Amino acid sequence: MFRVYLNPKEARVLVTRAKVEEKDWVLVSRYSTWDKAYKKALYLASRLDYVLEWYLEDQVESVLQIFKN
């Protein structure tokens, strides 16, 4: 499961598999695939003019799963 978080104080959007419990991060949505989570995060970052962040390991792992199946 991939999560999309917003941090309005720092103007950041994050896509991650991990639960973020740090102050100022707000969970926006959860998705079963990397692509859906990334598209939502990209939309939010573009719309709000926020910085988009993600963990490269999560993205690579998701892509490798496609090749395993």
Side-chain angles (χ1 to χ4, degrees):
M1 175 166 307
F2 295 93
R3 295 169 174 87
V4 178
Y5 290 92
L6 279 180
N7 186 328
K9 185 175 181 182
E10 297 179 10
R12 295 163 56 194
V13 178
L14 173 65
V15 180
T16 182
R17 277 188 174 240
K19 277 189 175 179
V20 176
E21 296 179 4
E22 295 176 26
K23 184 180 176 188
D24 299 324
W25 286 100
V26 178
L27 177 64
V28 175
S29 54
R30 290 179 265 190
Y31 295 93
S32 58
T33 66
W34 165 261
D35 291 337
K36 290 179 182 178
Y38 179 77
K39 286 178 184 178
K40 178 65 172 189
L42 182 61
Y43 171 79
L44 289 171
S46 175
R47 190 87 169 140
L48 299 170
D49 197 26
Y50 282 13
V51 174
L52 176 57
E53 303 174 22
W54 66 90
Y55 294 111
L56 185 59
E57 295 85 9
D58 290 343
Q59 181 184 16
V60 170
E61 182 181 317
S62 177
V63 170
L64 291 177
Q65 287 297 324
I66 293 170
F67 292 113
K68 286 182 181 179
N69 296 329

Coordinates of all heavy atoms in Angstrom, one line a residue:
M1 N 0.8 -1.2 0.0 CA 0.0 0.0 0.0 C 0.9 1.2 0.0 O 1.9 1.3 0.7 CB -0.9 0.0 1.2 CG -1.7 1.3 1.3 SD -3.0 1.2 2.5 CE -3.9 -0.2 2.0
F2 N 0.5 2.2 -0.8 CA 1.3 3.4 -0.9 C 0.4 4.6 -0.4 O -0.8 4.6 -0.6 CB 1.7 3.7 -2.4 CG 2.6 2.7 -2.9 CD1 2.1 1.6 -3.6 CD2 4.0 2.9 -2.8 CE1 3.0 0.6 -4.1 CE2 4.8 1.9 -3.3 CZ 4.4 0.8 -3.9
R3 N 1.1 5.4 0.3 CA 0.4 6.6 1.0 C 0.9 7.9 0.4 O 2.0 8.0 0.1 CB 0.6 6.5 2.5 CG 0.1 5.3 3.2 CD 0.6 5.2 4.6 NE 0.0 4.1 5.3 CZ 0.4 2.8 5.3 NH1 1.4 2.5 4.6 NH2 -0.3 1.9 5.9
V4 N -0.1 8.8 0.3 CA 0.3 10.2 -0.1 C 0.0 11.1 1.1 O -1.0 11.1 1.7 CB -0.6 10.6 -1.3 CG1 -0.3 12.1 -1.7 CG2 -0.4 9.7 -2.5
Y5 N 1.1 11.8 1.5 CA 1.0 12.8 2.6 C 1.3 14.2 2.1 O 2.0 14.4 1.2 CB 2.1 12.4 3.6 CG 1.9 11.2 4.4 CD1 2.4 10.0 3.9 CD2 1.2 11.2 5.6 CE1 2.2 8.8 4.7 CE2 1.0 10.0 6.3 CZ 1.5 8.8 5.8 OH 1.3 7.7 6.5
L6 N 0.7 15.1 2.9 CA 0.9 16.6 2.6 C 1.5 17.2 3.9 O 1.2 16.8 5.0 CB -0.4 17.3 2.4 CG -1.1 17.3 1.0 CD1 -2.3 18.1 1.1 CD2 -0.1 17.8 0.0
N7 N 2.4 18.1 3.7 CA 3.0 18.9 4.8 C 2.8 20.4 4.4 O 3.7 21.0 3.7 CB 4.4 18.6 5.0 CG 5.0 19.3 6.2 OD1 4.6 20.4 6.5 ND2 6.0 18.7 6.8
P8 N 1.6 21.0 4.7 CA 1.4 22.4 4.3 C 2.4 23.4 4.9 O 2.7 24.4 4.2 CB 0.0 22.6 4.9 CG -0.6 21.3 5.2 CD 0.5 20.4 5.4
K9 N 2.9 23.1 6.0 CA 3.8 24.0 6.7 C 5.1 24.1 5.8 O 5.7 25.2 5.7 CB 4.2 23.5 8.1 CG 5.0 24.5 8.9 CD 5.2 23.9 10.3 CE 6.1 24.9 11.1 NZ 6.3 24.4 12.4
E10 N 5.6 23.0 5.2 CA 6.8 23.0 4.5 C 6.5 23.0 2.9 O 7.5 22.9 2.2 CB 7.7 21.9 4.9 CG 8.1 22.0 6.3 CD 9.0 20.8 6.7 OE1 9.4 20.0 5.9 OE2 9.3 20.7 7.9
A11 N 5.3 23.0 2.6 CA 4.9 22.9 1.1 C 5.5 21.7 0.4 O 6.1 21.8 -0.6 CB 5.3 24.2 0.4
R12 N 5.2 20.5 1.0 CA 5.7 19.3 0.5 C 4.7 18.2 0.3 O 3.7 18.2 1.1 CB 6.8 18.7 1.4 CG 8.0 19.6 1.5 CD 8.9 19.3 2.6 NE 9.4 18.0 2.7 CZ 10.0 17.5 3.8 NH1 10.1 18.2 4.9 NH2 10.4 16.2 3.8
V13 N 4.8 17.3 -0.7 CA 4.0 16.2 -0.9 C 4.9 15.0 -0.9 O 5.9 15.0 -1.5 CB 3.2 16.3 -2.2 CG1 2.3 15.0 -2.4 CG2 2.3 17.5 -2.3
L14 N 4.5 13.9 -0.2 CA 5.3 12.7 -0.1 C 4.6 11.5 -0.5 O 3.4 11.3 -0.1 CB 5.8 12.6 1.3 CG 6.6 11.3 1.7 CD1 7.9 11.2 0.9 CD2 6.8 11.2 3.2
V15 N 5.2 10.6 -1.3 CA 4.6 9.3 -1.6 C 5.5 8.3 -0.9 O 6.8 8.3 -1.1 CB 4.6 9.0 -3.1 CG1 4.0 7.6 -3.4 CG2 3.9 10.1 -3.9
T16 N 5.0 7.4 -0.1 CA 5.8 6.4 0.6 C 4.9 5.2 0.9 O 3.7 5.2 1.0 CB 6.4 7.0 1.8 OG1 7.2 6.0 2.5 CG2 5.3 7.5 2.8
R17 N 5.6 4.1 1.2 CA 5.0 2.9 1.8 C 4.8 3.0 3.3 O 4.0 2.3 3.9 CB 5.8 1.6 1.4 CG 5.5 1.1 0.1 CD 6.2 -0.2 -0.1 NE 5.8 -0.8 -1.4 CZ 5.1 -1.9 -1.5 NH1 4.8 -2.6 -0.5 NH2 4.8 -2.3 -2.7
A18 N 5.7 3.7 3.9 CA 5.8 3.8 5.3 C 4.7 4.7 5.9 O 4.2 5.7 5.2 CB 7.2 4.4 5.7
K19 N 4.4 4.5 7.2 CA 3.5 5.4 7.9 C 4.3 6.5 8.4 O 5.3 6.3 9.0 CB 2.8 4.6 9.1 CG 1.6 3.8 8.7 CD 0.9 3.4 10.0 CE -0.4 2.7 9.6 NZ -1.1 2.2 10.8
V20 N 3.9 7.7 8.1 CA 4.6 8.9 8.6 C 3.8 9.4 9.8 O 2.6 9.8 9.7 CB 4.7 10.0 7.5 CG1 5.4 11.2 8.0 CG2 5.5 9.4 6.3
E21 N 4.4 9.5 10.9 CA 3.8 9.9 12.1 C 4.4 11.2 12.7 O 4.2 11.6 13.8 CB 3.8 8.8 13.2 CG 3.0 7.6 12.7 CD 3.0 6.5 13.8 OE1 3.5 6.7 14.8 OE2 2.4 5.5 13.4
E22 N 5.2 11.8 11.8 CA 5.9 13.1 12.2 C 4.9 14.2 12.2 O 3.9 14.2 11.5 CB 7.0 13.4 11.3 CG 8.2 12.4 11.3 CD 9.2 12.7 10.3 OE1 9.4 13.9 9.9 OE2 9.9 11.7 9.9
K23 N 5.2 15.2 13.0 CA 4.3 16.4 13.1 C 4.2 17.1 11.8 O 5.2 17.1 11.0 CB 4.9 17.4 14.1 CG 4.1 18.6 14.4 CD 4.8 19.4 15.4 CE 4.0 20.7 15.6 NZ 4.7 21.7 16.4
D24 N 3.1 17.6 11.5 CA 2.8 18.4 10.3 C 2.5 17.6 9.0 O 2.1 18.2 8.0 CB 3.9 19.4 10.0 CG 4.1 20.5 11.1 OD1 3.1 20.9 11.7 OD2 5.2 20.8 11.4
W25 N 2.7 16.3 9.0 CA 2.3 15.5 7.9 C 0.9 15.0 8.0 O 0.5 14.4 9.1 CB 3.3 14.3 7.7 CG 4.6 14.7 7.2 CD1 5.7 14.8 8.0 CD2 5.0 15.0 5.9 NE1 6.8 15.2 7.2 CE2 6.3 15.3 5.9 CE3 4.3 15.0 4.7 CZ2 7.0 15.7 4.7 CZ3 5.0 15.3 3.5 CH2 6.3 15.7 3.6
V26 N 0.1 15.1 6.9 CA -1.3 14.7 6.9 C -1.5 13.7 5.8 O -1.1 13.9 4.7 CB -2.2 16.0 6.7 CG1 -3.7 15.5 6.6 CG2 -2.0 17.0 7.7
L27 N -2.1 12.6 6.2 CA -2.4 11.5 5.2 C -3.5 12.0 4.3 O -4.6 12.3 4.8 CB -2.7 10.2 5.9 CG -3.1 9.1 5.0 CD1 -2.0 8.6 4.1 CD2 -3.6 7.9 5.8
V28 N -3.3 12.0 3.0 CA -4.3 12.4 2.1 C -5.1 11.2 1.5 O -6.3 11.2 1.5 CB -3.7 13.2 0.9 CG1 -4.8 13.6 -0.1 CG2 -3.0 14.5 1.5
S29 N -4.3 10.2 1.1 CA -5.0 9.0 0.5 C -4.0 7.8 0.5 O -2.8 8.0 0.7 CB -5.5 9.3 -0.9 OG -4.4 9.8 -1.7
R30 N -4.6 6.6 0.3 CA -3.9 5.4 0.2 C -4.2 4.7 -1.2 O -5.4 4.7 -1.6 CB -4.2 4.5 1.3 CG -3.7 4.9 2.6 CD -4.1 4.0 3.7 NE -5.3 4.5 4.3 CZ -5.9 4.1 5.4 NH1 -5.4 3.1 6.0 NH2 -6.9 4.6 5.8
Y31 N -3.2 4.1 -1.8 CA -3.4 3.4 -3.1 C -2.7 2.1 -3.1 O -1.7 1.9 -2.4 CB -2.9 4.3 -4.2 CG -3.6 5.6 -4.4 CD1 -3.2 6.7 -3.7 CD2 -4.8 5.6 -5.1 CE1 -3.8 7.9 -3.9 CE2 -5.5 6.8 -5.3 CZ -5.0 8.0 -4.6 OH -5.7 9.1 -4.8
S32 N -3.2 1.2 -3.8 CA -2.7 -0.2 -3.9 C -1.5 -0.2 -4.9 O -0.6 -1.1 -4.8 CB -3.7 -1.2 -4.4 OG -4.2 -0.8 -5.6
T33 N -1.3 0.8 -5.8 CA -0.2 0.8 -6.7 C 0.6 2.1 -6.6 O 0.0 3.1 -6.3 CB -0.7 0.6 -8.2 OG1 -1.4 1.7 -8.6 CG2 -1.5 -0.7 -8.3
W34 N 1.8 1.9 -7.0 CA 2.7 3.1 -7.0 C 2.2 4.1 -8.0 O 2.2 5.3 -7.7 CB 4.2 2.7 -7.4 CG 5.0 3.8 -7.8 CD1 5.3 4.2 -9.1 CD2 5.6 4.8 -7.0 NE1 6.1 5.3 -9.1 CE2 6.3 5.7 -7.8 CE3 5.7 4.9 -5.6 CZ2 7.0 6.7 -7.3 CZ3 6.4 6.0 -5.1 CH2 7.1 6.9 -5.9
D35 N 1.8 3.7 -9.2 CA 1.3 4.6 -10.3 C 0.2 5.5 -9.8 O 0.2 6.7 -10.0 CB 0.9 3.8 -11.5 CG 2.1 3.2 -12.2 OD1 3.2 3.7 -12.0 OD2 1.9 2.2 -13.0
K36 N -0.8 4.9 -9.2 CA -2.0 5.7 -8.7 C -1.5 6.7 -7.7 O -2.0 7.8 -7.7 CB -3.0 4.8 -8.2 CG -3.7 4.0 -9.3 CD -4.8 3.1 -8.7 CE -5.4 2.2 -9.8 NZ -6.4 1.3 -9.3
A37 N -0.7 6.3 -6.7 CA -0.3 7.2 -5.6 C 0.6 8.3 -6.2 O 0.4 9.5 -5.9 CB 0.5 6.4 -4.6
Y38 N 1.5 8.0 -7.1 CA 2.3 9.0 -7.7 C 1.5 10.0 -8.5 O 1.8 11.2 -8.5 CB 3.4 8.3 -8.6 CG 4.3 9.3 -9.3 CD1 5.3 9.9 -8.5 CD2 4.1 9.7 -10.6 CE1 6.1 10.9 -9.1 CE2 4.9 10.7 -11.2 CZ 5.9 11.2 -10.4 OH 6.7 12.2 -11.0
K39 N 0.6 9.5 -9.3 CA -0.3 10.4 -10.1 C -1.1 11.4 -9.2 O -1.2 12.6 -9.5 CB -1.2 9.7 -11.0 CG -0.5 9.0 -12.2 CD -1.5 8.2 -13.0 CE -0.7 7.5 -14.1 NZ -1.6 6.7 -14.9
K40 N -1.6 10.9 -8.1 CA -2.3 11.8 -7.2 C -1.3 12.8 -6.5 O -1.7 14.0 -6.4 CB -3.0 10.9 -6.1 CG -3.7 11.7 -5.0 CD -4.9 12.5 -5.6 CE -5.7 13.1 -4.5 NZ -6.9 13.7 -5.0
A41 N -0.2 12.3 -6.1 CA 0.8 13.2 -5.5 C 1.3 14.3 -6.5 O 1.4 15.4 -6.1 CB 2.0 12.4 -5.0
L42 N 1.5 13.9 -7.7 CA 1.9 14.8 -8.8 C 0.9 15.9 -9.0 O 1.2 17.1 -9.1 CB 2.2 14.0 -10.1 CG 2.7 14.9 -11.2 CD1 4.0 15.5 -10.9 CD2 2.9 14.0 -12.5
Y43 N -0.4 15.4 -9.1 CA -1.5 16.4 -9.2 C -1.5 17.4 -8.1 O -1.6 18.6 -8.3 CB -2.8 15.6 -9.3 CG -4.0 16.5 -9.3 CD1 -4.4 17.2 -10.4 CD2 -4.7 16.7 -8.1 CE1 -5.5 18.1 -10.4 CE2 -5.8 17.6 -8.1 CZ -6.2 18.2 -9.2 OH -7.3 19.1 -9.2
L44 N -1.4 16.9 -6.8 CA -1.5 17.8 -5.7 C -0.3 18.7 -5.7 O -0.5 19.9 -5.4 CB -1.5 17.0 -4.4 CG -2.8 16.2 -4.1 CD1 -2.5 15.3 -2.9 CD2 -3.9 17.2 -3.8
A45 N 0.9 18.2 -5.9 CA 2.1 19.1 -5.9 C 2.0 20.2 -7.0 O 2.3 21.3 -6.8 CB 3.3 18.2 -6.1
S46 N 1.5 19.8 -8.2 CA 1.3 20.8 -9.2 C 0.3 21.8 -8.9 O 0.5 23.0 -9.1 CB 0.9 20.0 -10.5 OG 0.7 20.9 -11.6
R47 N -0.9 21.3 -8.4 CA -2.0 22.2 -8.1 C -1.7 23.2 -6.9 O -2.0 24.4 -7.0 CB -3.2 21.3 -7.7 CG -4.4 22.1 -7.5 CD -5.1 22.1 -8.9 NE -6.5 22.6 -8.7 CZ -7.1 23.4 -9.4 NH1 -6.5 23.8 -10.5 NH2 -8.3 23.8 -9.2
L48 N -0.9 22.7 -5.9 CA -0.6 23.5 -4.8 C 0.7 24.2 -4.8 O 1.1 25.0 -4.0 CB -0.7 22.6 -3.5 CG -2.0 22.0 -3.2 CD1 -1.8 21.0 -2.1 CD2 -3.0 23.0 -2.8
D49 N 1.5 23.9 -5.9 CA 2.9 24.4 -6.1 C 3.7 24.0 -4.9 O 4.5 24.8 -4.3 CB 2.9 25.9 -6.2 CG 4.2 26.4 -6.8 OD1 4.8 25.7 -7.5 OD2 4.5 27.6 -6.5
Y50 N 3.7 22.7 -4.6 CA 4.5 22.0 -3.5 C 5.6 21.2 -4.1 O 5.5 20.8 -5.3 CB 3.6 21.1 -2.6 CG 2.7 21.8 -1.6 CD1 2.4 23.1 -1.6 CD2 2.1 21.0 -0.7 CE1 1.6 23.7 -0.7 CE2 1.3 21.5 0.3 CZ 1.0 22.9 0.3 OH 0.2 23.5 1.2
V51 N 6.6 20.9 -3.3 CA 7.7 20.0 -3.7 C 7.2 18.6 -3.6 O 6.6 18.2 -2.6 CB 8.9 20.2 -2.9 CG1 10.0 19.2 -3.2 CG2 9.4 21.6 -3.0
L52 N 7.4 17.8 -4.7 CA 7.0 16.4 -4.6 C 8.2 15.5 -4.3 O 9.3 15.6 -4.8 CB 6.5 15.9 -6.0 CG 6.1 14.5 -6.2 CD1 5.1 14.1 -5.2 CD2 5.7 14.2 -7.6
E53 N 8.0 14.6 -3.3 CA 9.1 13.7 -2.8 C 8.6 12.3 -2.8 O 7.4 12.1 -2.6 CB 9.5 14.1 -1.4 CG 9.9 15.5 -1.2 CD 10.2 15.9 0.2 OE1 10.4 15.0 1.0 OE2 10.1 17.1 0.5
W54 N 9.5 11.4 -3.0 CA 9.2 10.0 -2.8 C 10.5 9.2 -2.5 O 11.6 9.8 -2.7 CB 8.5 9.4 -4.0 CG 9.4 9.3 -5.3 CD1 10.2 8.3 -5.7 CD2 9.5 10.4 -6.3 NE1 10.8 8.7 -6.9 CE2 10.4 9.9 -7.2 CE3 8.9 11.6 -6.4 CZ2 10.7 10.7 -8.4 CZ3 9.3 12.4 -7.5 CH2 10.1 11.9 -8.5
Y55 N 10.4 8.0 -2.0 CA 11.5 7.2 -1.7 C 11.8 6.4 -2.9 O 11.0 5.6 -3.4 CB 11.3 6.3 -0.5 CG 11.2 7.1 0.8 CD1 9.9 7.2 1.5 CD2 12.3 7.8 1.3 CE1 9.8 7.9 2.6 CE2 12.1 8.5 2.5 CZ 10.9 8.6 3.1 OH 10.8 9.3 4.3
L56 N 13.0 6.5 -3.5 CA 13.4 5.8 -4.7 C 13.2 4.3 -4.5 O 12.8 3.6 -5.4 CB 14.8 6.1 -5.1 CG 15.3 5.6 -6.4 CD1 14.5 6.0 -7.5 CD2 16.8 6.0 -6.6
E57 N 13.5 3.8 -3.3 CA 13.4 2.3 -3.1 C 12.0 1.8 -3.3 O 11.8 0.7 -3.8 CB 13.8 2.0 -1.6 CG 15.3 2.3 -1.3 CD 15.5 3.8 -0.9 OE1 14.6 4.5 -0.7 OE2 16.7 4.2 -0.9
D58 N 11.0 2.6 -2.9 CA 9.6 2.2 -3.1 C 9.3 2.2 -4.5 O 8.6 1.2 -5.0 CB 8.7 3.2 -2.4 CG 8.7 3.2 -0.9 OD1 9.2 2.1 -0.3 OD2 8.2 4.1 -0.2
Q59 N 9.7 3.1 -5.3 CA 9.4 3.1 -6.7 C 10.1 2.0 -7.4 O 9.5 1.3 -8.2 CB 9.9 4.5 -7.3 CG 9.6 4.6 -8.8 CD 10.1 5.8 -9.5 OE1 11.0 6.5 -8.9 NE2 9.6 6.1 -10.6
V60 N 11.4 1.7 -7.2 CA 12.1 0.7 -7.8 C 11.5 -0.7 -7.5 O 11.3 -1.5 -8.3 CB 13.6 0.7 -7.4 CG1 14.3 -0.6 -7.9 CG2 14.3 1.9 -8.0
E61 N 11.1 -0.9 -6.2 CA 10.5 -2.1 -5.8 C 9.2 -2.4 -6.5 O 8.9 -3.5 -6.9 CB 10.2 -2.1 -4.2 CG 9.6 -3.3 -3.7 CD 9.4 -3.2 -2.2 OE1 10.2 -2.7 -1.5 OE2 8.3 -3.6 -1.8
S62 N 8.4 -1.3 -6.7 CA 7.2 -1.4 -7.4 C 7.4 -1.8 -8.9 O 6.7 -2.7 -9.4 CB 6.4 -0.1 -7.4 OG 5.2 -0.2 -8.1
V63 N 8.4 -1.2 -9.5 CA 8.7 -1.6 -10.9 C 9.2 -3.0 -11.0 O 8.8 -3.7 -11.9 CB 9.7 -0.6 -11.5 CG1 10.2 -1.0 -12.8 CG2 9.1 0.8 -11.6
L64 N 10.0 -3.4 -10.1 CA 10.5 -4.8 -10.1 C 9.4 -5.8 -10.0 O 9.5 -6.9 -10.5 CB 11.6 -5.0 -9.1 CG 12.9 -4.2 -9.4 CD1 13.9 -4.4 -8.2 CD2 13.5 -4.7 -10.7
Q65 N 8.4 -5.5 -9.2 CA 7.3 -6.4 -9.0 C 6.5 -6.7 -10.3 O 6.1 -7.8 -10.6 CB 6.2 -5.8 -8.0 CG 6.7 -5.9 -6.6 CD 6.9 -7.3 -6.1 OE1 6.2 -8.2 -6.5 NE2 7.9 -7.5 -5.3
I66 N 6.5 -5.7 -11.2 CA 5.9 -5.9 -12.5 C 6.6 -7.0 -13.3 O 6.0 -7.8 -14.0 CB 5.9 -4.6 -13.3 CG1 4.9 -3.6 -12.6 CG2 5.4 -4.8 -14.8 CD1 5.0 -2.2 -13.1
F67 N 8.0 -6.9 -13.3 CA 8.8 -7.9 -14.0 C 8.8 -9.3 -13.4 O 8.9 -10.3 -14.1 CB 10.2 -7.4 -14.1 CG 10.3 -6.2 -15.0 CD1 10.7 -4.9 -14.5 CD2 10.1 -6.2 -16.4 CE1 10.8 -3.8 -15.3 CE2 10.1 -5.1 -17.2 CZ 10.5 -3.9 -16.7
K68 N 8.5 -9.4 -12.1 CA 8.5 -10.7 -11.4 C 7.2 -11.4 -11.8 O 7.2 -12.6 -11.9 CB 8.5 -10.5 -9.9 CG 9.9 -10.2 -9.4 CD 9.9 -10.1 -7.9 CE 11.2 -9.7 -7.4 NZ 11.2 -9.7 -5.9
N69 N 6.1 -10.7 -12.0 CA 4.9 -11.3 -12.4 C 4.8 -11.5 -13.9 O 4.5 -12.2 -14.5 CB 3.7 -10.4 -12.0 CG 3.6 -10.3 -10.5 OD1 4.0 -11.1 -9.8 ND2 3.1 -9.1 -10.0

